[in-house]
PDB file of all heavy atoms in Angstrom:
ATOM      1  N   ASP A  33      28.164 -14.210   2.593  1.00 70.00           N
ATOM      2  CA  ASP A  33      28.195 -13.083   1.663  1.00 70.00           C
ATOM      3  C   ASP A  33      29.533 -13.122   0.937  1.00 70.00           C
ATOM      4  O   ASP A  33      30.584 -12.863   1.515  1.00 70.00           O
ATOM      5  CB  ASP A  33      28.036 -11.764   2.431  1.00 70.00           C
ATOM      6  CG  ASP A  33      27.762 -10.604   1.493  1.00 70.00           C
ATOM      7  OD1 ASP A  33      28.042 -10.753   0.300  1.00 70.00           O
ATOM      8  OD2 ASP A  33      27.274  -9.562   1.961  1.00 70.00           O
ATOM      9  N   GLU A  34      29.489 -13.457  -0.354  1.00 61.00           N
ATOM     10  CA  GLU A  34      30.730 -13.659  -1.114  1.00 61.00           C
ATOM     11  C   GLU A  34      31.432 -12.353  -1.443  1.00 61.00           C
ATOM     12  O   GLU A  34      32.605 -12.339  -1.779  1.00 61.00           O
ATOM     13  CB  GLU A  34      30.428 -14.419  -2.400  1.00 61.00           C
ATOM     14  CG  GLU A  34      29.852 -15.807  -2.154  1.00 61.00           C
ATOM     15  CD  GLU A  34      29.351 -16.445  -3.440  1.00 61.00           C
ATOM     16  OE1 GLU A  34      29.297 -15.728  -4.449  1.00 61.00           O
ATOM     17  OE2 GLU A  34      29.036 -17.645  -3.424  1.00 61.00           O
ATOM     18  N   LEU A  35      30.710 -11.220  -1.405  1.00 53.00           N
ATOM     19  CA  LEU A  35      31.307  -9.960  -1.844  1.00 53.00           C
ATOM     20  C   LEU A  35      31.622  -9.005  -0.710  1.00 53.00           C
ATOM     21  O   LEU A  35      32.429  -8.100  -0.880  1.00 53.00           O
ATOM     22  CB  LEU A  35      30.369  -9.260  -2.838  1.00 53.00           C
ATOM     23  CG  LEU A  35      30.257  -9.937  -4.199  1.00 53.00           C
ATOM     24  CD1 LEU A  35      29.207  -9.237  -5.027  1.00 53.00           C
ATOM     25  CD2 LEU A  35      31.585  -9.943  -4.916  1.00 53.00           C
ATOM     26  N   ALA A  36      30.977  -9.176   0.438  1.00 50.00           N
ATOM     27  CA  ALA A  36      31.209  -8.222   1.524  1.00 50.00           C
ATOM     28  C   ALA A  36      32.594  -8.417   2.111  1.00 50.00           C
ATOM     29  O   ALA A  36      33.116  -9.523   2.192  1.00 50.00           O
ATOM     30  CB  ALA A  36      30.157  -8.405   2.611  1.00 50.00           C
ATOM     31  N   GLY A  37      33.207  -7.321   2.512  1.00 45.00           N
ATOM     32  CA  GLY A  37      34.490  -7.373   3.194  1.00 45.00           C
ATOM     33  C   GLY A  37      35.645  -7.751   2.328  1.00 45.00           C
ATOM     34  O   GLY A  37      36.619  -8.324   2.771  1.00 45.00           O
ATOM     35  N   THR A  38      35.612  -7.433   1.034  1.00 43.00           N
ATOM     36  CA  THR A  38      36.675  -7.858   0.119  1.00 43.00           C
ATOM     37  C   THR A  38      37.534  -6.696  -0.338  1.00 43.00           C
ATOM     38  O   THR A  38      38.191  -6.780  -1.351  1.00 43.00           O
ATOM     39  CB  THR A  38      36.071  -8.521  -1.120  1.00 43.00           C
ATOM     40  OG1 THR A  38      35.280  -7.541  -1.818  1.00 43.00           O
ATOM     41  CG2 THR A  38      35.197  -9.678  -0.754  1.00 43.00           C
ATOM     42  N   THR A  39      37.532  -5.615   0.405  1.00 40.00           N
ATOM     43  CA  THR A  39      38.205  -4.429  -0.113  1.00 40.00           C
ATOM     44  C   THR A  39      39.714  -4.570  -0.173  1.00 40.00           C
ATOM     45  O   THR A  39      40.366  -3.787  -0.834  1.00 40.00           O
ATOM     46  CB  THR A  39      37.865  -3.218   0.763  1.00 40.00           C
ATOM     47  OG1 THR A  39      38.196  -3.517   2.121  1.00 40.00           O
ATOM     48  CG2 THR A  39      36.400  -2.897   0.673  1.00 40.00           C
ATOM     49  N   LEU A  47      35.176 -10.847 -11.965  1.00 36.00           N
ATOM     50  CA  LEU A  47      34.202 -10.932 -10.869  1.00 36.00           C
ATOM     51  C   LEU A  47      34.041 -12.385 -10.398  1.00 36.00           C
ATOM     52  O   LEU A  47      33.988 -12.653  -9.204  1.00 36.00           O
ATOM     53  CB  LEU A  47      32.869 -10.361 -11.337  1.00 36.00           C
ATOM     54  CG  LEU A  47      31.783 -10.186 -10.276  1.00 36.00           C
ATOM     55  CD1 LEU A  47      32.255  -9.219  -9.203  1.00 36.00           C
ATOM     56  CD2 LEU A  47      30.506  -9.678 -10.915  1.00 36.00           C
ATOM     57  N   ARG A  50      36.910 -13.411  -8.317  1.00 39.00           N
ATOM     58  CA  ARG A  50      36.854 -12.747  -7.017  1.00 39.00           C
ATOM     59  C   ARG A  50      35.914 -13.494  -6.083  1.00 39.00           C
ATOM     60  O   ARG A  50      36.200 -13.713  -4.921  1.00 39.00           O
ATOM     61  CB  ARG A  50      36.390 -11.298  -7.185  1.00 39.00           C
ATOM     62  CG  ARG A  50      36.427 -10.512  -5.893  1.00 39.00           C
ATOM     63  CD  ARG A  50      35.653  -9.226  -5.952  1.00 39.00           C
ATOM     64  NE  ARG A  50      36.138  -8.366  -6.980  1.00 39.00           N
ATOM     65  CZ  ARG A  50      35.367  -7.907  -7.949  1.00 39.00           C
ATOM     66  NH1 ARG A  50      34.096  -8.241  -7.983  1.00 39.00           N
ATOM     67  NH2 ARG A  50      35.851  -7.108  -8.872  1.00 39.00           N
ATOM     68  N   ARG A  51      34.746 -13.893  -6.625  1.00 41.00           N
ATOM     69  CA  ARG A  51      33.773 -14.589  -5.781  1.00 41.00           C
ATOM     70  C   ARG A  51      34.347 -15.908  -5.273  1.00 41.00           C
ATOM     71  O   ARG A  51      34.172 -16.272  -4.108  1.00 41.00           O
ATOM     72  CB  ARG A  51      32.502 -14.841  -6.585  1.00 41.00           C
ATOM     73  CG  ARG A  51      31.633 -13.593  -6.704  1.00 41.00           C
ATOM     74  CD  ARG A  51      30.450 -13.820  -7.581  1.00 41.00           C
ATOM     75  NE  ARG A  51      29.537 -12.696  -7.527  1.00 41.00           N
ATOM     76  CZ  ARG A  51      28.595 -12.467  -8.409  1.00 41.00           C
ATOM     77  NH1 ARG A  51      28.434 -13.282  -9.424  1.00 41.00           N
ATOM     78  NH2 ARG A  51      27.807 -11.410  -8.288  1.00 41.00           N
ATOM     79  N   ASN A  54      36.981 -15.093  -2.610  1.00 44.00           N
ATOM     80  CA  ASN A  54      36.359 -14.595  -1.382  1.00 44.00           C
ATOM     81  C   ASN A  54      35.724 -15.737  -0.601  1.00 44.00           C
ATOM     82  O   ASN A  54      35.775 -15.777   0.626  1.00 44.00           O
ATOM     83  CB  ASN A  54      35.285 -13.549  -1.706  1.00 44.00           C
ATOM     84  CG  ASN A  54      35.895 -12.318  -2.339  1.00 44.00           C
ATOM     85  OD1 ASN A  54      37.093 -12.145  -2.308  1.00 44.00           O
ATOM     86  ND2 ASN A  54      35.042 -11.481  -2.923  1.00 44.00           N
ATOM     87  N   ASP A  88      17.547  -3.332  -2.672  1.00 87.00           N
ATOM     88  CA  ASP A  88      18.935  -3.820  -2.774  1.00 87.00           C
ATOM     89  C   ASP A  88      19.919  -2.751  -2.325  1.00 87.00           C
ATOM     90  O   ASP A  88      20.890  -3.032  -1.608  1.00 87.00           O
ATOM     91  CB  ASP A  88      19.235  -4.243  -4.207  1.00 87.00           C
ATOM     92  CG  ASP A  88      18.447  -5.473  -4.620  1.00 87.00           C
ATOM     93  OD1 ASP A  88      18.166  -6.298  -3.734  1.00 87.00           O
ATOM     94  OD2 ASP A  88      18.114  -5.598  -5.807  1.00 87.00           O
ATOM     95  N   MET A  92      22.325  -2.967   0.947  1.00 87.00           N
ATOM     96  CA  MET A  92      23.758  -2.946   0.686  1.00 87.00           C
ATOM     97  C   MET A  92      24.458  -1.834   1.466  1.00 87.00           C
ATOM     98  O   MET A  92      25.585  -1.987   1.936  1.00 87.00           O
ATOM     99  CB  MET A  92      23.983  -2.759  -0.821  1.00 87.00           C
ATOM    100  CG  MET A  92      25.334  -3.207  -1.332  1.00 87.00           C
ATOM    101  SD  MET A  92      25.414  -2.983  -3.118  1.00 87.00           S
ATOM    102  CE  MET A  92      24.213  -4.177  -3.659  1.00 87.00           C
ATOM    103  N   PRO A  96      26.986  -2.652   4.826  1.00 85.00           N
ATOM    104  CA  PRO A  96      27.928  -2.905   3.726  1.00 85.00           C
ATOM    105  C   PRO A  96      28.774  -4.145   3.941  1.00 85.00           C
ATOM    106  O   PRO A  96      29.184  -4.798   2.984  1.00 85.00           O
ATOM    107  CB  PRO A  96      28.799  -1.641   3.712  1.00 85.00           C
ATOM    108  CG  PRO A  96      28.015  -0.607   4.440  1.00 85.00           C
ATOM    109  CD  PRO A  96      27.216  -1.343   5.453  1.00 85.00           C
ATOM    110  N   LEU A 323      31.395   2.737  -0.956  1.00 85.00           N
ATOM    111  CA  LEU A 323      31.366   1.854  -2.122  1.00 85.00           C
ATOM    112  C   LEU A 323      31.156   0.415  -1.659  1.00 85.00           C
ATOM    113  O   LEU A 323      32.032  -0.166  -1.006  1.00 85.00           O
ATOM    114  CB  LEU A 323      32.677   1.967  -2.904  1.00 85.00           C
ATOM    115  CG  LEU A 323      32.744   1.175  -4.210  1.00 85.00           C
ATOM    116  CD1 LEU A 323      31.780   1.754  -5.238  1.00 85.00           C
ATOM    117  CD2 LEU A 323      34.152   1.159  -4.770  1.00 85.00           C
ATOM    118  N   PRO A 324      30.018  -0.194  -1.977  1.00 77.00           N
ATOM    119  CA  PRO A 324      29.806  -1.594  -1.596  1.00 77.00           C
ATOM    120  C   PRO A 324      30.807  -2.504  -2.310  1.00 77.00           C
ATOM    121  O   PRO A 324      31.298  -2.190  -3.394  1.00 77.00           O
ATOM    122  CB  PRO A 324      28.367  -1.875  -2.062  1.00 77.00           C
ATOM    123  CG  PRO A 324      27.734  -0.529  -2.220  1.00 77.00           C
ATOM    124  CD  PRO A 324      28.836   0.392  -2.626  1.00 77.00           C
ATOM    125  N   ALA A 325      31.071  -3.621  -1.677  1.00 71.00           N
ATOM    126  CA  ALA A 325      32.061  -4.541  -2.244  1.00 71.00           C
ATOM    127  C   ALA A 325      31.658  -5.033  -3.626  1.00 71.00           C
ATOM    128  O   ALA A 325      32.499  -5.310  -4.465  1.00 71.00           O
ATOM    129  CB  ALA A 325      32.251  -5.729  -1.291  1.00 71.00           C
ATOM    130  N   SER A 326      30.345  -5.142  -3.870  1.00 69.00           N
ATOM    131  CA  SER A 326      29.888  -5.635  -5.167  1.00 69.00           C
ATOM    132  C   SER A 326      30.155  -4.647  -6.290  1.00 69.00           C
ATOM    133  O   SER A 326      30.027  -4.996  -7.461  1.00 69.00           O
ATOM    134  CB  SER A 326      28.390  -5.940  -5.093  1.00 69.00           C
ATOM    135  OG  SER A 326      27.691  -4.791  -4.646  1.00 69.00           O
ATOM    136  N   LEU A 327      30.512  -3.402  -5.964  1.00 74.00           N
ATOM    137  CA  LEU A 327      30.767  -2.393  -6.995  1.00 74.00           C
ATOM    138  C   LEU A 327      32.235  -2.026  -7.105  1.00 74.00           C
ATOM    139  O   LEU A 327      32.571  -0.989  -7.653  1.00 74.00           O
ATOM    140  CB  LEU A 327      29.957  -1.124  -6.687  1.00 74.00           C
ATOM    141  CG  LEU A 327      28.454  -1.212  -6.911  1.00 74.00           C
ATOM    142  CD1 LEU A 327      27.791   0.090  -6.525  1.00 74.00           C
ATOM    143  CD2 LEU A 327      28.152  -1.521  -8.369  1.00 74.00           C
ATOM    144  N   LEU A 328      33.110  -2.875  -6.615  1.00 75.00           N
ATOM    145  CA  LEU A 328      34.535  -2.543  -6.671  1.00 75.00           C
ATOM    146  C   LEU A 328      35.032  -2.412  -8.109  1.00 75.00           C
ATOM    147  O   LEU A 328      36.005  -1.715  -8.364  1.00 75.00           O
ATOM    148  CB  LEU A 328      35.348  -3.607  -5.929  1.00 75.00           C
ATOM    149  CG  LEU A 328      35.180  -3.604  -4.404  1.00 75.00           C
ATOM    150  CD1 LEU A 328      35.987  -4.721  -3.785  1.00 75.00           C
ATOM    151  CD2 LEU A 328      35.587  -2.278  -3.825  1.00 75.00           C
ATOM    152  N   TYR A 329      34.377  -3.069  -9.043  1.00 73.00           N
ATOM    153  CA  TYR A 329      34.798  -2.943 -10.447  1.00 73.00           C
ATOM    154  C   TYR A 329      34.678  -1.507 -10.929  1.00 73.00           C
ATOM    155  O   TYR A 329      35.308  -1.120 -11.916  1.00 73.00           O
ATOM    156  CB  TYR A 329      33.971  -3.877 -11.334  1.00 73.00           C
ATOM    157  CG  TYR A 329      32.565  -3.377 -11.639  1.00 73.00           C
ATOM    158  CD1 TYR A 329      32.312  -2.630 -12.786  1.00 73.00           C
ATOM    159  CD2 TYR A 329      31.508  -3.636 -10.782  1.00 73.00           C
ATOM    160  CE1 TYR A 329      31.037  -2.164 -13.067  1.00 73.00           C
ATOM    161  CE2 TYR A 329      30.234  -3.170 -11.050  1.00 73.00           C
ATOM    162  CZ  TYR A 329      30.008  -2.443 -12.201  1.00 73.00           C
ATOM    163  OH  TYR A 329      28.755  -1.971 -12.481  1.00 73.00           O
ATOM    164  N   PHE A 330      33.891  -0.701 -10.235  1.00 76.00           N
ATOM    165  CA  PHE A 330      33.699   0.668 -10.674  1.00 76.00           C
ATOM    166  C   PHE A 330      34.935   1.519 -10.458  1.00 76.00           C
ATOM    167  O   PHE A 330      35.052   2.601 -11.026  1.00 76.00           O
ATOM    168  CB  PHE A 330      32.496   1.291  -9.943  1.00 76.00           C
ATOM    169  CG  PHE A 330      31.597   2.065 -10.857  1.00 76.00           C
ATOM    170  CD1 PHE A 330      30.677   1.410 -11.653  1.00 76.00           C
ATOM    171  CD2 PHE A 330      31.683   3.440 -10.954  1.00 76.00           C
ATOM    172  CE1 PHE A 330      29.857   2.104 -12.518  1.00 76.00           C
ATOM    173  CE2 PHE A 330      30.861   4.150 -11.799  1.00 76.00           C
ATOM    174  CZ  PHE A 330      29.942   3.482 -12.582  1.00 76.00           C
ATOM    175  N   PRO A 705      26.608   4.510 -10.296  1.00 56.00           N
ATOM    176  CA  PRO A 705      26.366   3.108 -10.631  1.00 56.00           C
ATOM    177  C   PRO A 705      25.035   2.657 -10.056  1.00 56.00           C
ATOM    178  O   PRO A 705      24.605   3.117  -8.999  1.00 56.00           O
ATOM    179  CB  PRO A 705      27.535   2.387  -9.953  1.00 56.00           C
ATOM    180  CG  PRO A 705      27.945   3.300  -8.851  1.00 56.00           C
ATOM    181  CD  PRO A 705      27.683   4.693  -9.326  1.00 56.00           C
ATOM    182  N   LYS A 706      24.380   1.769 -10.757  1.00 57.00           N
ATOM    183  CA  LYS A 706      23.080   1.266 -10.303  1.00 57.00           C
ATOM    184  C   LYS A 706      23.324   0.142  -9.320  1.00 57.00           C
ATOM    185  O   LYS A 706      23.932  -0.872  -9.639  1.00 57.00           O
ATOM    186  CB  LYS A 706      22.273   0.785 -11.510  1.00 57.00           C
ATOM    187  CG  LYS A 706      20.788   0.620 -11.223  1.00 57.00           C
ATOM    188  CD  LYS A 706      20.031   0.425 -12.513  1.00 57.00           C
ATOM    189  CE  LYS A 706      18.549   0.250 -12.272  1.00 57.00           C
ATOM    190  NZ  LYS A 706      17.941   1.433 -11.655  1.00 57.00           N
ATOM    191  N   LEU A 707      22.824   0.317  -8.084  1.00 53.00           N
ATOM    192  CA  LEU A 707      23.113  -0.637  -7.025  1.00 53.00           C
ATOM    193  C   LEU A 707      22.235  -1.872  -7.087  1.00 53.00           C
ATOM    194  O   LEU A 707      22.582  -2.908  -6.556  1.00 53.00           O
ATOM    195  CB  LEU A 707      22.935   0.035  -5.658  1.00 53.00           C
ATOM    196  CG  LEU A 707      23.796   1.275  -5.387  1.00 53.00           C
ATOM    197  CD1 LEU A 707      23.464   1.832  -4.018  1.00 53.00           C
ATOM    198  CD2 LEU A 707      25.260   0.951  -5.485  1.00 53.00           C
ATOM    199  N   SER A 708      21.081  -1.738  -7.727  1.00 53.00           N
ATOM    200  CA  SER A 708      20.109  -2.824  -7.623  1.00 53.00           C
ATOM    201  C   SER A 708      20.276  -3.903  -8.689  1.00 53.00           C
ATOM    202  O   SER A 708      19.648  -4.931  -8.605  1.00 53.00           O
ATOM    203  CB  SER A 708      18.694  -2.236  -7.709  1.00 53.00           C
ATOM    204  OG  SER A 708      18.551  -1.472  -8.892  1.00 53.00           O
ATOM    205  N   ASP A 709      21.105  -3.658  -9.703  1.00 52.00           N
ATOM    206  CA  ASP A 709      21.280  -4.643 -10.771  1.00 52.00           C
ATOM    207  C   ASP A 709      22.767  -4.799 -11.038  1.00 52.00           C
ATOM    208  O   ASP A 709      23.408  -3.919 -11.585  1.00 52.00           O
ATOM    209  CB  ASP A 709      20.562  -4.178 -12.043  1.00 52.00           C
ATOM    210  CG  ASP A 709      20.540  -5.282 -13.108  1.00 52.00           C
ATOM    211  OD1 ASP A 709      21.188  -6.326 -12.871  1.00 52.00           O
ATOM    212  OD2 ASP A 709      19.894  -5.089 -14.144  1.00 52.00           O
ATOM    213  N   LEU A 710      23.330  -5.928 -10.618  1.00 53.00           N
ATOM    214  CA  LEU A 710      24.768  -6.147 -10.751  1.00 53.00           C
ATOM    215  C   LEU A 710      25.063  -7.341 -11.642  1.00 53.00           C
ATOM    216  O   LEU A 710      26.055  -8.029 -11.472  1.00 53.00           O
ATOM    217  CB  LEU A 710      25.384  -6.373  -9.361  1.00 53.00           C
ATOM    218  CG  LEU A 710      25.186  -5.207  -8.385  1.00 53.00           C
ATOM    219  CD1 LEU A 710      25.677  -5.592  -7.008  1.00 53.00           C
ATOM    220  CD2 LEU A 710      25.922  -3.984  -8.878  1.00 53.00           C
ATOM    221  N   SER A 711      24.203  -7.588 -12.608  1.00 59.00           N
ATOM    222  CA  SER A 711      24.399  -8.718 -13.502  1.00 59.00           C
ATOM    223  C   SER A 711      25.567  -8.447 -14.439  1.00 59.00           C
ATOM    224  O   SER A 711      25.928  -7.300 -14.690  1.00 59.00           O
ATOM    225  CB  SER A 711      23.123  -8.951 -14.321  1.00 59.00           C
ATOM    226  OG  SER A 711      22.867  -7.831 -15.149  1.00 59.00           O
ATOM    227  N   ILE A 715      27.136  -4.834 -16.073  1.00 68.00           N
ATOM    228  CA  ILE A 715      28.548  -4.448 -15.985  1.00 68.00           C
ATOM    229  C   ILE A 715      29.124  -4.228 -17.382  1.00 68.00           C
ATOM    230  O   ILE A 715      29.850  -3.267 -17.638  1.00 68.00           O
ATOM    231  CB  ILE A 715      29.341  -5.528 -15.221  1.00 68.00           C
ATOM    232  CG1 ILE A 715      28.849  -5.614 -13.769  1.00 68.00           C
ATOM    233  CG2 ILE A 715      30.831  -5.232 -15.256  1.00 68.00           C
ATOM    234  CD1 ILE A 715      29.489  -6.717 -12.967  1.00 68.00           C
TER     235      ILE A 715
END
Side-chain angles (χ1 to χ4, degrees):
D33 192 341
E34 298 171 350
L35 290 174
T38 63
T39 55
L47 188 61
R50 185 195 301 123
R51 282 175 172 163
N54 295 347
D88 292 329
M92 201 178 293
L323 184 67
S326 55
L327 288 178
L328 290 178
Y329 77 93
F330 224 80
K706 197 168 180 62
L707 302 178
S708 55
D709 189 354
L710 301 173
S711 64
I715 296 175

